[in-house]
Amino acid sequence: MTSSQTSVSLSIDGNQVQVPEGTTIHKACESAEINTPTLCWAENLTPVNVCRVCVVEVEGNRTLVPSCARPAEEGMVVHTDSERVRHSRRMVLEFLGSGVDLDQATPLHEWIVRYDADITRYDQPELPAAVIDEPIKIQDDLYIRDYNRCVLCYKCVEACGDDAQHTFAIAVAGRGFDARISTEYDVELPESACVYCGNCIGVCPTGAIQFKTEFDLRLAGDWRPDQQEITRTVCSYCGVGCNLEIHTQDGRIVKATSPADHSVTSGHLCVKGRFGWTYVQPST
Amino acid sequence: MTDLHFTDDRADSTEIEAVAAAIGNETVVVVDTERLIRGGTERRHQSRHLLLPALHALQRAKGWITPGGLNHVADVLQVPPAEAYGVATFYEMFRTVDPGHSESVTHVCVDAACQIAGSDTLGDELAAKGTAVHRSPCLGQCERAPARFVQGVGTPDEVPADSEPLVFHQQGDPSLRLLKRIGVVDPGSLDSYRSNGGYVALDRAIEMGAAAVLDAVADSGLSGRGGAAFPTGVKWRAVAAEEGCPKHVVANCDESEPGTFKDRVVMENDPFSIIESLTIAGFATSAENGWIYIRGEYPLAAARLEAAIDQARNAGLLGPDAAGSGHTFDIEIRRGAGAYICGEETALFASIEGFRGEPRSKPPFPTTHGLFGQPTAINNPETLLNVLDIVALGADEYRSRGTEKSPGTKLLCLSGRVANPGLYEVEFGTSLGQVLELAGGLTGSSELRAVLLGGAAGSFVGPESLGLPLTLEDTRNLGTTLGSGVVMAFTTDVDMTPVLIRIAEFFRNESCGQCVPCRIGTQRQHETLVQVGRIGSITADRRQLVDDMARAMADASICGLGHTASSAVSSALALGLIGGTT
Ligand SMILES: Cc1cc2nc3c(=O)[nH]c(=O)nc-3n(C[C@H](O)[C@H](O)[C@H](O)COP(=O)(O)O)c2cc1C
Ligand code: SF4
Ligand code: SF4
Ligand code: SF4
Ligand code: FES
Ligand code: FES
């Protein structure tokens, strides 16, 4: 921030904060060391502001506003921990927990505790709360889709589409509670436009899309993230220079990712970097 | 060469011809060297607004949208098939699964007015006779409950009741402003419209100039009739102030709020009035593009508007130098395909643009970022209709009716247990009781239980509110709303529990699904009411849950659908209409 014209000053939970114009409220909170949950937001994707877990109260606004997408404005008075904010965050987490399997959505676990969300109170006698209830889609050897874990954050759609891959193999289909991530007519992935870049896996926050290697290890009860090693390297297939993070467990590669803040990839890869490591080790 | 990937399914000649007839032979030519990335993405967005008309053509041709048909449209318009499928599955009128027959489908309304008029039985009877029946949300014919709409396969859609003569109880009443031509004018004739005062206002507007029209609209105190009551003058001035890019005016004729049918009656019986007033809006805001987005279940209204636009264009009232104004203005019609949410202004834009009808976050507002991201003034047709009188009479004379804060008159849709359901025009400030009298008083047990004001997104009031003056300020003070002008009466013989369960189901079905509070909240609210219906009362913890959900939906949802999804339910609980006495 160079001149006063390009910066705005706002109050967040009583602290005066100054940020460059165009900064989101969420980023402004970060700069004031106020931790705000996000789910559908990611550094490398356009904000869709659909999950509403990041809502904050801005004085003068009738409803709460999504901090991940709303730019900070001069003179804004923001509350991130009011009763209204806590209530809505709690309910968003309860709603998600009542309908979606959040076992592998690790960041959410801490917030469920923080906001005191009771995800069990939606089941009623003889009327369990409706859930997605779709069989797990295992259509190839590379990755699986388990939409019972999907929170419909749109991240995979964005990564497959305008924000990274420009393949548009998957989109949201249906409406309301019946909305789903789907290929056209739900055709299997190998029949669809999918090019197996795995960028959808890279952004999925819940494990709804995951490497087949990870899925199989989890199924066998042998998925041990705390015992995994991450080796940073550069993809050897072409000259672009994508940074790779090779995750290994017991000396075997279990998945490949790329850092979201890497200048070349923004976290996105192609099929070779993502899955082209089987030659390094004999298949099991 | 294209980057798109298609499955092997191919369209047959019926489908290809139907699509060509609907959108012309327009195809996106993708140059050999051009990758869809960037340049190509931009280019194909230019024709994507033809997706909805093309999907209509496929649905009509086969009774469902086949994978081959979808591939063809996706290829012609260069839309990724997965996205086209996402759009097709968004709408109630489109099928993406083979129904196994190619007969027309009869939609039977199951919303409140029709529900209490026995639509369930009607649906069962029709089905027993072998008719393909689809249970539908409000069809916008609540005065004809139980209502039907027939979706044709290979034949035009039709509404059985359209062949019956118009029923309009106020015909000839000299105090009418907005409805003065209903039943009087020939809706198919521009000459008849002119001889009934038509196009006087447009001539006057051109004489006054755009700035004076904007002043008159602002001075009149006119506020939006689509539900949110936003000052029209403020909206129009904001669009008029935008310069240097194409601008749009849109008539929001999606009319899907349960209990609402006012716009349909006007479009069917006085279509030129909407064209004239939209032209004035274009003139005042210097927008060249007019759009009418009309719900798919209104075939007669769409046909009459289409015919009226043709006549107006032939008479030089639309097109370059429209009506000698020196301003170019033309109007295009778009048919919706069954989605309440597409009445929300930003969802409506997305729908026209060929995307899923998902609302966008505001700000930015439509006045700067509207249709195709360009400045747009979007109004309800009733709002537009008022402009004719404002321009012709002047703001002062216009304000001589109604109250200081609610000037003018209001269209009300009377339905439910009243003797003469139908459309009425009353002066703002008329009491609820007087309005019910105007509609011939109550039927059923003749003893009032509750009135639903403002539609499913509105709220219930009890008999103690019969004296309520129907104005924006008085309804707001009472915590209710006039919304889209719904006044639906329920007498003591009506079991309110199924009515409330259905209202909850309506929101559950109509949520676009984008945001968590509404997508899951409306589902849980419905489940909770089903449970209340089963056990016949509401426990303290369920009551707490309903309130908790209501607050989060109202506070944290993206759009008005989620914000109001609990309002009728909450008011019904407060009045003790369901869940036992409180
Ligand atoms: C779920 C939902 C449905 C709506 N449906 C309609 C509709 O059918 N017609 C309409 O005019 N406005 C509708 N609105 C309101 C529009 O968003 C918008 O406010 C209106 O068209 C503006 O016109 P006005 O200022 O003339 O009222 C709806 C809003 C929501 C949230
Ligand atoms: S792997 Fe890549 S192309 Fe396939 S669905 Fe995921 S993001 Fe799209
Ligand atoms: S699959 Fe994952 S990334 Fe995609 S919408 Fe669901 S939770 Fe989000
Ligand atoms: S409130 Fe409901 S209808 Fe509106 S954007 Fe959210 S999910 Fe869609
Ligand atoms: S993180 Fe802001 S709405 Fe999802
Ligand atoms: S048409 Fe049935 S309630 Fe409106």
Side-chain angles (χ1 to χ4, degrees):
Chain A
M1 136 192 23
T2 47
S3 79
S4 63
Q5 274 182 325
T6 57
S7 83
V8 295
S9 136
L10 68 161
S11 148
I12 305 179
D13 297 341
N15 308 306
Q16 213 54 38
V17 183
Q18 193 148 349
V19 292
E21 193 173 18
T23 307
T24 61
I25 298 176
H26 175 248
K27 286 278 177 202
C29 288
E30 232 169 46
S31 75
E33 289 178 14
I34 292 165
N35 175 291
T36 307
T38 57
L39 180 58
C40 66
W41 176 88
E43 195 77 62
N44 54 356
L45 301 171
T46 315
V48 286
N49 53 80
V50 296
C51 78
R52 318 305 278 185
V53 78
C54 71
V55 287
V56 296
E57 195 170 345
V58 175
E59 286 187 12
N61 281 253
R62 197 170 41 87
T63 57
L64 303 177
V65 309
S67 64
C68 65
R70 177 68 69 86
E73 287 165 29
E74 183 62 36
M76 258 185 180
V77 181
V78 179
H79 303 282
T80 76
D81 204 35
S82 63
E83 196 274 331
R84 264 179 89 189
V85 170
R86 294 186 62 88
H87 179 78
S88 278
R89 289 185 183 173
R90 167 180 153 225
M91 293 303 291
V92 164
L93 293 165
E94 285 192 0
F95 283 154
L96 286 174
S98 73
V100 183
D101 180 350
L102 297 178
D103 278 1
Q104 296 177 29
T106 17
L108 288 175
H109 300 167
E110 179 197 323
W111 307 330
I112 285 173
V113 176
R114 195 208 282 184
Y115 294 105
D116 209 12
D118 175 6
I119 62 171
T120 62
R121 63 173 173 150
Y122 296 83
D123 289 320
Q124 313 186 73
E126 290 163 55
L127 188 71
V131 295
I132 306 289
D133 203 18
E134 258 191 31
I136 303 177
K137 295 183 193 299
I138 308 174
Q139 299 168 346
D140 50 70
D141 295 334
L142 301 182
Y143 72 94
I144 66 98
R145 295 179 292 156
D146 178 1
Y147 289 126
N148 300 305
R149 301 181 184 279
C150 174
V151 291
L152 223 67
C153 68
Y154 286 59
K155 281 178 168 173
C156 54
V157 177
E158 290 201 289
C160 189
D162 278 325
D163 275 343
Q165 187 54 34
H166 285 86
T167 293
F168 305 95
I170 47 175
V172 181
R175 191 169 74 191
F177 193 76
D178 304 318
R180 299 283 184 276
I181 305 293
S182 180
T183 58
E184 63 273 24
Y185 296 89
D186 203 16
V187 297
E188 300 209 343
L189 273 183
E191 271 186 75
S192 80
C194 176
V195 296
Y196 290 95
C197 62
N199 288 328
C200 49
I201 315 174
V203 294
C204 181
T206 63
I209 319 181
Q210 60 183 267
F211 284 86
K212 182 75 165 28
T213 36
E214 175 174 345
F215 176 77
D216 288 340
L217 284 168
R218 282 183 185 273
L219 209 59
D222 197 25
W223 179 252
R224 292 168 273 123
D226 31 336
Q227 291 168 28
Q228 289 170 8
E229 262 180 65
I230 298 179
T231 312
R232 269 185 102 127
T233 176
V234 174
C235 182
S236 55
Y237 278 102
C238 77
V240 171
C242 298
N243 265 30
L244 284 183
E245 291 175 334
I246 302 295
H247 302 239
T248 50
Q249 177 175 307
D250 301 337
R252 296 188 61 82
I253 304 178
V254 291
K255 66 177 175 185
T257 58
S258 181
D261 59 0
H262 176 49
S263 61
V264 174
T265 65
S266 294
H268 306 303
L269 294 169
C270 78
V271 60
K272 294 178 248 178
R274 187 78 69 184
F275 294 108
W277 34 263
T278 37
Y279 75 93
V280 185
Q281 61 193 21
S283 61
T284 43
Chain B
M1 193 208 82
T2 141
D3 275 14
L4 296 182
H5 173 280
F6 299 98
T7 57
D8 293 335
D9 304 291
R10 292 287 166 262
D12 69 13
S13 58
T14 318
E15 291 170 312
I16 292 172
E17 280 160 27
V19 170
I23 63 170
N25 282 315
E26 182 152 357
T27 53
V28 179
V29 184
V30 181
V31 187
D32 244 5
T33 51
E34 181 183 59
R35 305 265 309 166
L36 275 176
I37 301 165
R38 299 288 165 243
T41 306
E42 295 281 298
R43 286 167 61 96
R44 66 193 161 79
H45 282 185
Q46 288 166 14
S47 52
R48 185 152 176 170
H49 68 99
L50 296 170
L51 181 57
L52 189 52
L55 292 176
H56 264 300
L58 290 177
Q59 170 69 38
R60 165 79 44 83
K62 285 284 173 67
W64 71 295
I65 296 172
T66 67
L70 188 94
N71 278 346
H72 172 65
V73 166
D75 192 14
V76 165
L77 297 177
Q78 287 293 294
V79 175
E83 285 195 6
Y85 179 72
V87 172
T89 52
F90 193 82
Y91 296 99
E92 180 102 7
M93 287 173 67
F94 294 154
R95 302 268 156 277
T96 50
V97 176
D98 187 352
H101 64 80
S102 54
E103 274 142 52
S104 42
V105 176
T106 300
H107 294 231
V108 176
C109 169
V110 294
D111 271 322
C114 296
Q115 183 181 25
I116 66 171
S119 61
D120 243 355
T121 319
L122 173 67
D124 291 345
E125 281 168 8
L126 288 170
K129 278 192 252 157
T131 309
V133 170
H134 175 75
R135 296 186 196 247
S136 161
C138 176
L139 288 167
Q141 313 175 42
C142 327
E143 84 278 32
R144 301 156 166 176
R148 278 177 298 159
F149 158 74
V150 181
Q151 192 179 4
V153 178
T155 57
D157 298 342
E158 56 183 276
V159 168
D162 283 345
S163 48
E164 290 157 25
L166 167 74
V167 180
F168 177 48
H169 304 287
Q170 287 178 307
Q171 191 165 323
D173 180 339
S175 72
L176 292 179
R177 274 185 180 176
L178 307 172
L179 301 181
K180 57 180 174 282
R181 275 182 293 264
I182 303 292
V184 177
V185 76
D186 172 359
S189 157
L190 175 59
D191 290 339
S192 170
Y193 180 66
R194 279 196 188 276
S195 58
N196 281 283
Y199 280 104
V200 168
L202 179 59
D203 288 344
R204 179 88 191 93
I206 295 168
E207 220 175 280
M208 289 160 68
V213 174
L214 293 174
D215 289 344
V217 171
D219 295 344
S220 72
L222 176 64
S223 63
R225 306 294 198 240
F230 187 81
T232 310
V234 174
K235 187 183 283 187
W236 285 21
R237 277 186 171 149
V239 174
E242 294 291 319
E243 280 169 8
C245 63
K247 298 195 276 190
H248 308 269
V249 289
V250 181
N252 183 348
C253 306
D254 192 51
E255 188 159 74
S256 307
E257 180 65 53
T260 316
F261 50 85
K262 64 191 178 75
D263 304 338
R264 189 201 86 236
V265 174
V266 175
M267 288 187 281
E268 288 178 352
N269 298 291
D270 192 12
F272 285 98
S273 68
I274 291 168
I275 292 159
E276 181 185 0
S277 53
L278 195 59
T279 309
I280 296 178
F283 175 71
T285 58
S286 73
E288 297 192 337
N289 311 295
W291 300 81
I292 296 178
Y293 185 94
I294 178 168
R295 69 176 297 188
E297 296 87 343
Y298 282 178
L300 182 62
R304 292 204 169 151
L305 282 168
E306 196 80 68
I309 288 175
D310 285 345
Q311 287 186 48
R313 199 179 286 132
N314 289 337
L317 297 165
L318 291 173
D321 188 23
S325 60
H327 172 71
T328 299
F329 185 76
D330 215 325
I331 299 177
E332 221 176 294
I333 294 189
R334 277 290 187 277
R335 287 181 68 208
Y340 168 59
I341 189 57
C342 287
E344 196 282 337
E345 50 196 20
T346 60
L348 185 151
F349 302 149
S351 177
I352 292 183
E353 291 164 14
F355 292 85
R356 291 164 56 79
E358 293 174 353
R360 301 168 186 162
S361 234
K362 293 183 275 192
F365 293 97
T367 48
T368 56
H369 295 74
L371 187 58
F372 302 111
Q374 293 158 345
T376 304
I378 177 166
N379 282 110
N380 179 264
E382 181 188 346
T383 315
L384 294 169
L385 210 51
N386 276 277
V387 173
L388 296 180
D389 285 324
I390 292 168
V391 169
L393 304 173
D396 288 344
E397 174 61 21
Y398 175 82
R399 296 190 75 113
S400 67
R401 317 240 346 242
T403 67
E404 177 58 28
K405 289 191 177 132
S406 304
T409 56
K410 178 80 194 84
L411 299 186
L412 295 177
C413 309
L414 270 290
S415 66
R417 294 276 195 260
V418 289
N420 303 317
L423 179 60
Y424 293 85
E425 176 178 350
V426 301
E427 189 163 350
F428 272 113
T430 310
S431 76
L432 178 56
Q434 286 169 321
V435 167
L436 294 176
E437 284 310 310
L438 193 60
L442 299 171
T443 58
S445 68
S446 297
E447 196 184 326
L448 188 67
R449 181 87 194 274
V451 175
L452 180 61
L453 281 184
S459 61
F460 288 96
V461 297
E464 65 286 352
S465 298
L466 281 174
L468 175 73
L470 298 180
T471 64
L472 300 170
E473 57 278 15
D474 291 289
T475 49
R476 193 179 303 130
N477 288 341
L478 193 71
T480 180
T481 175
L482 284 178
S484 53
V486 173
V487 179
M488 198 183 284
F490 299 87
T491 42
T492 47
D493 56 307
V494 178
D495 179 0
M496 294 304 288
T497 306
V499 172
L500 266 298
I501 293 175
R502 172 55 205 162
I503 289 177
E505 185 187 45
F506 172 81
F507 285 106
R508 178 243 172 259
N509 290 348
E510 298 297 325
S511 162
C512 82
Q514 211 185 169
C515 67
V516 172
C518 172
R519 176 177 78 243
I520 306 182
T522 55
Q523 167 75 27
R524 298 293 175 246
Q525 174 174 268
H526 178 232
E527 288 167 0
T528 311
L529 284 185
V530 168
Q531 181 71 0
V532 169
R534 281 185 181 180
I535 60 176
S537 67
I538 187 161
T539 54
D541 77 313
R542 291 300 94 175
R543 181 63 209 253
Q544 181 67 45
L545 186 63
V546 169
D547 291 348
D548 283 352
M549 297 194 288
R551 276 184 68 204
M553 285 194 274
D555 255 358
S557 299
I558 294 180
C559 85
L561 189 149
H563 296 153
T564 57
S566 55
S567 124
V569 170
S570 298
S571 67
L573 282 167
L575 289 171
L577 300 179
I578 47 163
T581 43
T582 39

